[in-house]
Amino acid sequence: MNSNLQLDFVEIYNRLNKRNWSIKKETLLSELIETLKITELLTSNLNYENGLEKNDEIGLINPLLWEYGHTLHFWEHIVLKNLGYDDFKTNDEVYNSFLISRNNRFNKKKLLSYREIILGYQSVMKYLNNYINNYDLSKITTYLVRLGQLHLEMHNESFVFTNQLLGRKLFDDLNFYKLEDTLEEVEMINVSKGSFLQGVPFSTSKFYFDNEAPEKFKFVNSFQVSKYCITNYQYLKFVNSNGYNIKKYWSDEGWDFVKNKKLDYPVYWERINNNWFEKIFDKLVLLRNNNPVINISWYEACAYCKWKGVRLLKEEEWEYLAKLGNEKDMIKKSHLNYGFDYSYHTTISVLEDESENNIGVVGLFGNCWEWCEEPFYPYDGFVIDPVYREMSYPHFGYKRICRGGSWAVPNILINSHYRNAQSPDCCHQFIGFRVAVNKLFYV
């Protein structure tokens, strides 16, 4: 954390005391333990050798061993330091993501071993258990613990897609296929104009990140939206039309991106003897036609839209759609919550997705994130988080919004107001897209 942005403890506590939410300590601890179990599963094979691999073909990613240490650093220096913890195993010079560049995260002489990180986590959990059991669960404690948990969940997803990038076996008995007819065309749904409240008020009883507040009134004009996210088969049509080599479909930055990366199709696709395959961790499987196309950059999504004569959803349109229905029910039915006994550790066919809003739009939550059109900006009246200062502001104006969650995200992190943002060249995270048009016509 940048010390120039650090608030003093009095200001942090005063701000957090204004948060209007609470949770039972038993629930908070049990959910945290579930998160830590997933982290243990995803990092169980790390050591100095396999935790420091580079992959420059797609783009440099965080080494897994460094990233695991970074999550411990967050607990120690961002969360528990504000609760009086001082048994630090990590330090800023090695594990602060805003102080050390990615190229310098592979120096094993400076990194903790996997065993040392485990011992650090044991110390953290011992302190947390003692603190929560011997003190009242205040708004401050609740916020800090939940913040640490959700930060760790974000990195759990990162552990998953990093293993995907490195081609490692992560799960057994992956369920890849379902016999069904291929969706060849993009089915559109009419959306009537209307108004809604975007974001959350500062007085909400929900947990929120600083970029999600304050709440604001928004009016949305009528438009059409694709019923499903764009599928592999539908995107394959763009690939087969030589779309990656026709400059008029691409922005200047997007064209530079695909040419520098020498891409003629999505980075995890492969063509063998006129058949298309996709890489799923350590396996190469036939392209699943009705699964959403994922692991594509914002540039690629925009190029498809220009080829098709459509556009990406605006962020306010996505949230408007997500609030046209019972949010809890849609999330409950969505393809989220990977874990030990989950039957799918990958995306599912859009026809299998049971999460649907009131007008028939399917899969707004889960399965894959969805790119939106706009850059990531704060809402009017934005107030920076008193603890996690770098959650949002360094990324404003550059990263692009993606909404809704992926299969590798738990439901405690997903809601209609959560704003994920990634760089426009990101193609390793599980992000897809759906399309929209301003006027009524069939695509």
Side-chain angles (χ1 to χ4, degrees):
M1 178 172 287
N2 187 333
S3 59
N4 293 328
L5 295 172
Q6 180 76 34
L7 298 180
D8 63 41
F9 288 142
V10 173
E11 186 170 359
I12 289 173
Y13 275 56
N14 286 339
R15 288 197 189 183
L16 290 181
N17 266 326
K18 296 178 182 178
R19 294 289 178 113
N20 184 32
W21 76 297
S22 63
I23 187 172
K24 292 180 179 180
K25 63 174 63 179
E26 296 82 6
T27 302
L28 186 66
L29 274 176
S30 65
E31 291 181 349
L32 173 57
I33 289 169
E34 287 303 308
T35 294
L36 288 167
K37 285 180 179 178
I38 298 298
T39 306
E40 183 179 355
L41 168 70
L42 297 175
T43 59
S44 60
N45 65 343
L46 292 186
N47 54 47
Y48 279 136
E49 286 69 36
N50 68 20
L52 294 174
E53 293 184 60
K54 286 187 179 182
N55 190 312
D56 297 310
E57 183 179 341
I58 300 174
L60 190 65
I61 57 171
N62 288 322
L64 287 165
L65 191 63
W66 176 90
E67 188 168 359
Y68 193 24
H70 165 75
T71 65
L72 175 62
H73 175 272
F74 191 93
W75 278 108
E76 292 182 340
H77 293 266
I78 309 303
V79 177
L80 295 187
K81 183 178 180 180
N82 290 301
L83 296 177
Y85 184 82
D86 60 4
D87 185 20
F88 303 133
K89 303 295 190 300
T90 60
N91 60 71
D92 271 0
E93 289 71 24
V94 177
Y95 291 106
N96 187 321
S97 59
F98 286 91
L99 295 181
I100 181 169
S101 69
R102 287 189 173 180
N103 275 316
N104 292 324
R105 297 174 187 177
F106 292 83
N107 187 346
K108 73 177 183 180
K109 292 181 179 179
K110 294 183 178 181
L111 297 182
L112 297 175
S113 68
Y114 175 73
R115 176 63 178 166
E116 288 171 325
I117 296 171
I118 290 292
L119 291 174
Y121 261 103
Q122 290 175 355
S123 177
V124 163
M125 285 305 299
K126 181 179 179 181
Y127 188 87
L128 267 177
N129 272 296
N130 180 67
Y131 192 98
I132 292 174
N133 288 326
N134 289 285
Y135 294 90
D136 291 335
L137 194 58
S138 67
K139 295 177 182 178
I140 296 164
T141 308
T142 304
Y143 175 78
L144 290 170
V145 175
R146 187 63 109 189
L147 176 65
Q149 179 188 9
L150 296 186
H151 176 266
L152 185 56
E153 283 290 2
M154 295 176 194
H155 282 279
N156 280 347
E157 184 182 15
S158 179
F159 292 143
V160 173
F161 63 66
T162 299
N163 277 283
Q164 160 88 352
L165 174 60
L166 296 173
R168 291 203 183 119
K169 180 178 182 179
L170 194 59
F171 302 111
D172 292 320
D173 301 323
L174 294 181
N175 194 334
F176 294 124
Y177 299 107
K178 183 176 179 66
L179 294 176
E180 57 190 11
D181 293 333
T182 296
L183 283 175
E184 296 196 10
E185 302 301 328
V186 180
E187 182 179 350
M188 305 297 286
I189 290 179
N190 296 332
V191 184
S192 299
K193 63 183 179 181
S195 58
F196 75 108
L197 292 171
Q198 184 174 355
V200 294
F202 291 126
S203 61
T204 183
S205 60
K206 304 173 183 177
F207 183 97
Y208 67 90
F209 293 106
D210 57 8
N211 61 65
E212 299 167 14
E215 189 177 64
K216 57 180 179 178
F217 178 86
K218 297 292 293 188
F219 176 82
V220 176
N221 285 314
S222 59
F223 62 100
Q224 280 196 316
V225 64
S226 58
K227 180 176 182 177
Y228 308 106
C229 284
I230 297 303
T231 66
N232 284 326
Y233 183 84
Q234 291 161 355
Y235 194 83
L236 179 60
K237 292 183 178 182
F238 171 62
V239 173
N240 285 337
S241 72
N242 202 32
Y244 276 71
N245 294 295
I246 301 176
K247 189 174 182 180
K248 68 179 181 179
Y249 300 137
W250 300 84
S251 65
D252 290 340
E253 296 83 1
W255 186 250
D256 289 342
F257 167 75
V258 294
K259 293 300 123 181
N260 289 336
K261 299 298 180 184
K262 300 178 181 179
L263 294 178
D264 291 315
Y265 40 82
V267 72
Y268 289 137
W269 288 17
E270 188 170 338
R271 191 173 185 177
I272 303 173
N273 297 327
N274 293 321
N275 290 314
W276 285 96
F277 294 81
E278 55 181 319
K279 187 180 84 168
I280 304 175
F281 298 105
D282 61 323
K283 294 178 173 64
L284 200 62
V285 303
L286 282 170
L287 192 69
R288 299 165 298 169
N289 286 343
N290 287 343
N291 282 50
V293 61
I294 57 171
N295 300 123
I296 61 168
S297 66
W298 182 83
Y299 297 131
E300 291 164 281
C302 289
Y304 172 92
C305 287
K306 193 164 185 180
W307 168 79
K308 190 69 174 175
V310 294
R311 61 172 173 81
L312 293 177
L313 270 180
K314 298 176 182 177
E315 183 184 18
E316 64 190 43
E317 292 172 338
W318 185 94
E319 190 164 331
Y320 179 60
L321 291 170
K323 290 179 175 177
L324 289 178
N326 185 315
E327 181 173 324
K328 289 184 178 180
D329 185 61
M330 285 191 286
I331 293 174
K332 183 179 179 180
K333 293 180 179 179
S334 64
H335 184 51
L336 291 165
N337 282 334
Y338 65 102
F340 297 110
D341 57 355
Y342 207 64
S343 59
Y344 292 92
H345 295 293
T346 177
T347 56
I348 59 173
S349 162
V350 296
L351 296 180
E352 285 186 88
D353 200 327
E354 297 178 352
S355 179
E356 184 175 336
N357 75 357
N358 288 345
I359 61 171
V361 180
V362 175
L364 289 161
F365 296 103
N367 216 10
C368 69
W369 293 98
E370 299 180 24
W371 285 116
C372 293
E373 190 174 72
E374 309 96 321
F376 181 43
Y377 281 117
Y379 295 153
D380 292 343
F382 167 80
V383 176
I384 196 168
D385 188 277
V387 178
Y388 192 6
R389 306 283 284 168
E390 286 88 355
M391 169 67 187
S392 305
Y393 87 88
H395 313 297
F396 288 146
Y398 165 64
K399 287 191 173 183
R400 298 283 168 166
I401 291 289
C402 39
R403 289 292 208 115
S406 77
W407 65 270
V409 177
N411 59 9
I412 60 168
L413 190 57
I414 294 305
N415 51 62
S416 61
H417 50 85
Y418 178 54
R419 308 174 75 201
N420 187 6
Q422 299 297 327
S423 60
D425 62 353
C426 175
C427 55
H428 49 262
Q429 197 162 353
F430 305 116
I431 311 175
F433 66 103
R434 70 179 72 231
V435 300
V437 291
N438 295 331
K439 56 186 179 180
L440 303 183
F441 68 93
Y442 186 79
V443 179

